[in-house]
Amino acid sequence: MNLASQSGEAGAGQLLFANFNQDVTSLAVGSKSGYKFFSLSSVDKLEQIYECTDTEDVCIVERLFSSSLVAIVSLKAPRKLKVCHFKKGTEICNYSYSNTILAVKLNRQRLIVCLEESLYIHNIRDMKVLHTIRETPPNPAGLCALSINNDNCYLAYPGSATIGEVQVFDTINLRAANMIPAHDSPLAALAFDASGTKLATASEKGTVIRVFSIPEGQKLFEFRRGVKRCVSICSLAFSMDGMFLSASSNTETVHIFKLETVKEKPQEEPTTWTGYFGKVLMASTSYLPSQVTEMFNQGRAFATVRLPFCGHKNICALATIQKIPRLLVGAADGYLYMYNLDPQEGGECTLMKQHKLDGSMETTNEVLDSASHDCPLVAQTYSSAVAKARADEPGAVGGVRLEEEARALRLEEDSEHPPMVLRTD
C-alpha cells in the first residue's frame, strides 16, 4: 500500500507505505523517519522485528519472505532501488532507473521493478537485468502482481489503459504466457494465489471480482462485490491454501469469498408457491440479457468485515495466526485491524485487535474515539519527489555495494535469502 501519491497533511504516524510479506508472516511499514518490520505471529501484540532510521521518506519497503533481504525506495531518490541486508544494516547493491519506481515485487527467483511504462525483471541471485518489458500501457498506479511460486513464476500487469486486459508473463522463460480479457473497464487490482495457478482481478468499476486459471486464462470463479455502487478496489488477497479470497475497497466493507465449486443437485419438483416462483425465475434467465443472467450466476460473499472507517486506502491479507484464520487490514489511518474468520460458517467477522502501525501501544477505546483516527496519512506527494529526480538517468544502472554481505546470505537456511553473486560495472 503506497500512500506517497496521495495529497494532504500527514498524520502523527507519518505513514508512507505498508505491506505484508509473501506468506503474511510479517508486516513492513515505511514512513518519513525510516522503516520497520513487525512479526504477525500473535494477535495480542504487534512485535517489532527491526527498525531502520538511516533512510528517510521510505515509500516502498519489500521484504523477501522471512529473510534478511529487503528492497527499499525513498521519496528523496524515487528512481533508485536499494537492496539491503537489514539484519546487518548493510547495503548489498543499488540500481537507478529512467523514471520513478512505482512498485517492487519479490520472490525467490525474481525481483520486479515497475515503472509507469516499463517493467524490469531482475535475477534475484545477482540482480542482473534479465529482461525489460518496454512501452507498456500507462500504469501510473504501478499495478502488477508476481507469483511467489518457484515453478509458476508469473508476472501479471495491465495490457491496456482503457479496458481490463491482463498480460501474463513467464519470468523464468522470459516470454509472454497469455493475454486475458478480464473486464470491460481498466484494471484496479491483481493478485496471484500461493501456487501461481490462479489470478484474481478487479476493475475500476469494482462490482465484480473474477478468478482465472494460470497460464490458461480460463475463468474459474466470478464473484459480485455489490450492485448498488461502483467502488475503488484497494486490494485482493488469497489465503495461503487458496480457499478464500478477500477484497477491500474505499468503503467500510471487506468481502471474503470462498473458492468452492458447488455440485449440482438433482432437480426436485417445488412444493410451495415460492418454490415454483424460483424455478420460473431461474428458467427465465435464458431469455434475459446476458448481463442479467451473469448476475444470477455470480457468487456472493462468504464472509464480511465492517471496518470502523471508509474512504481510506488499505491493504488486506488472509493469514492463520495462532491456528485461527484471520483477516488483516492495514489502513492509511495508521492502524492494523485483525479479525477472526469462521471458515465453516462465514458471516460477519469479529474484530479481535487493532494496533498502531508505528508499533506504539494504544487501547481499543482510545483508537475508536480518536478524532485523528479518520484523517488520511500522507506525508509527501509523489509529484514533488519526481520533480527532484534527474531526467537524464538511463535504463537500469546498477552498482555493487559490499559484495561480502551478499555472500553472507546463506542458501541452506530457510530464513535466509539465496546468495547473491554481484557484478561490478
Side-chain angles (χ1 to χ4, degrees):
M1 175 181 65
N2 194 333
L3 303 175
S5 59
Q6 295 183 357
S7 60
E9 293 185 0
Q14 301 180 321
L15 180 68
L16 289 173
F17 182 87
N19 199 14
F20 302 99
N21 70 340
Q22 295 85 349
D23 55 3
V24 200
T25 56
S26 69
L27 173 71
V29 175
S31 68
K32 284 185 68 66
S33 59
Y35 66 90
K36 298 178 181 180
F37 293 129
F38 298 96
S39 170
L40 297 174
S41 59
S42 170
V43 171
D44 293 328
K45 183 182 179 183
L46 192 61
E47 181 185 356
Q48 182 174 302
I49 301 170
Y50 177 76
E51 179 179 11
C52 174
T53 56
D54 294 340
T55 304
E56 297 180 342
D57 295 337
V58 175
C59 59
I60 296 175
V61 51
E62 297 281 357
R63 183 185 184 189
L64 179 67
F65 288 90
S66 297
S67 76
S68 306
L69 188 122
V70 57
I72 305 161
V73 180
S74 168
L75 286 175
K76 293 186 180 297
R79 301 182 181 190
K80 183 178 180 180
L81 171 72
K82 292 199 299 182
V83 179
C84 300
H85 187 305
F86 78 81
K87 289 180 182 177
K88 293 190 174 184
T90 54
E91 182 178 307
I92 297 172
C93 66
N94 66 68
Y95 269 80
S96 295
Y97 300 85
S98 59
N99 211 332
T100 300
I101 300 170
L102 300 176
V104 178
K105 304 295 180 183
L106 303 162
N107 64 23
R108 291 190 175 98
Q109 301 278 351
R110 299 289 181 255
L111 182 147
I112 309 297
V113 175
C114 179
L115 312 185
E116 184 170 352
E117 295 187 352
S118 57
L119 289 148
Y120 289 83
I121 301 172
H122 293 258
N123 180 3
I124 205 164
R125 288 175 177 265
D126 57 11
M127 278 302 291
K128 180 181 178 182
V129 178
L130 300 175
H131 187 80
T132 305
I133 304 173
R134 300 185 186 278
E135 298 181 357
T136 61
N139 182 17
L143 178 60
C144 63
L146 178 66
S147 165
I148 66 172
N149 187 278
N150 288 345
D151 298 322
N152 300 304
C153 194
Y154 293 105
L155 169 69
Y157 62 94
S160 170
T162 57
I163 59 172
E165 188 177 286
V166 184
Q167 291 287 348
V168 181
F169 191 88
D170 182 344
T171 66
I172 298 299
N173 298 304
L174 303 177
R175 63 190 181 194
N178 205 343
M179 186 283 291
I180 303 173
H183 301 270
D184 294 331
S185 303
L187 296 170
L190 296 166
F192 283 102
D193 72 339
S195 70
T197 60
K198 295 186 186 74
L199 176 70
T201 68
S203 74
E204 289 181 356
K205 192 174 179 181
T207 53
V208 174
I209 313 295
R210 296 190 172 105
V211 178
F212 298 90
S213 65
I214 299 297
E216 300 83 10
Q218 178 185 354
K219 186 170 70 176
L220 302 175
F221 299 94
E222 186 169 84
F223 302 108
R224 179 158 288 276
R225 196 212 59 81
V227 293
K228 294 181 181 179
R229 54 182 171 170
C230 296
V231 303
S232 297
I233 299 294
C234 292
S235 73
L236 297 171
F238 285 93
S239 57
M240 289 303 292
D241 61 6
M243 284 297 296
F244 297 96
L245 171 66
S246 60
S248 68
S249 67
N250 61 340
T251 71
E252 68 280 2
T253 307
V254 180
H255 295 78
I256 302 170
F257 305 98
K258 195 170 186 177
L259 280 69
E260 58 181 356
T261 305
V262 180
K263 296 180 181 179
E264 291 189 6
K265 298 178 180 178
Q267 287 190 345
E268 297 178 1
E269 286 299 316
T271 57
T272 63
W273 182 87
T274 53
Y276 277 111
F277 179 77
K279 185 177 181 181
V280 170
L281 188 63
M282 292 309 295
S284 68
T285 59
S286 59
Y287 302 101
L288 294 172
S290 59
Q291 294 91 335
V292 180
T293 305
E294 282 183 6
M295 196 178 297
F296 278 106
N297 296 326
Q298 287 164 345
R300 296 299 193 272
F302 170 75
T304 56
V305 160
R306 295 285 178 183
L307 298 169
F309 63 82
C310 65
H312 290 307
K313 193 172 181 181
N314 58 77
I315 185 167
C316 62
L318 289 161
T320 299
I321 302 174
Q322 295 171 312
K323 299 182 180 180
I324 297 175
R326 323 273 188 175
L327 174 82
L328 311 180
V329 180
D333 65 353
Y335 291 87
L336 173 69
Y337 300 87
M338 293 185 169
Y339 294 83
N340 276 7
L341 167 65
D342 187 329
Q344 276 76 45
E345 301 298 327
E348 187 83 15
C349 297
T350 306
L351 177 63
M352 298 305 295
K353 203 77 175 180
Q354 54 199 84
H355 303 279
K356 291 195 71 174
L357 286 175
D358 62 5
S360 64
M361 301 298 291
E362 188 172 35
T363 66
T364 302
N365 289 337
E366 286 174 336
V367 171
L368 292 176
D369 294 341
S370 172
S372 64
H373 174 64
D374 290 325
C375 298
L377 291 173
V378 181
Q380 185 175 351
T381 62
Y382 243 2
S383 56
S384 62
V386 173
K388 298 177 185 176
R390 297 196 305 274
D392 58 350
E393 290 181 301
V397 180
V400 176
R401 297 290 184 273
L402 300 174
E403 187 170 348
E404 63 273 15
E405 299 301 337
R407 290 195 293 268
L409 292 162
R410 295 174 290 279
L411 178 63
E412 65 272 13
E413 293 188 15
D414 290 338
S415 63
E416 285 290 0
H417 171 68
M420 285 183 164
V421 181
L422 295 173
R423 59 190 173 87
T424 54
D425 293 332

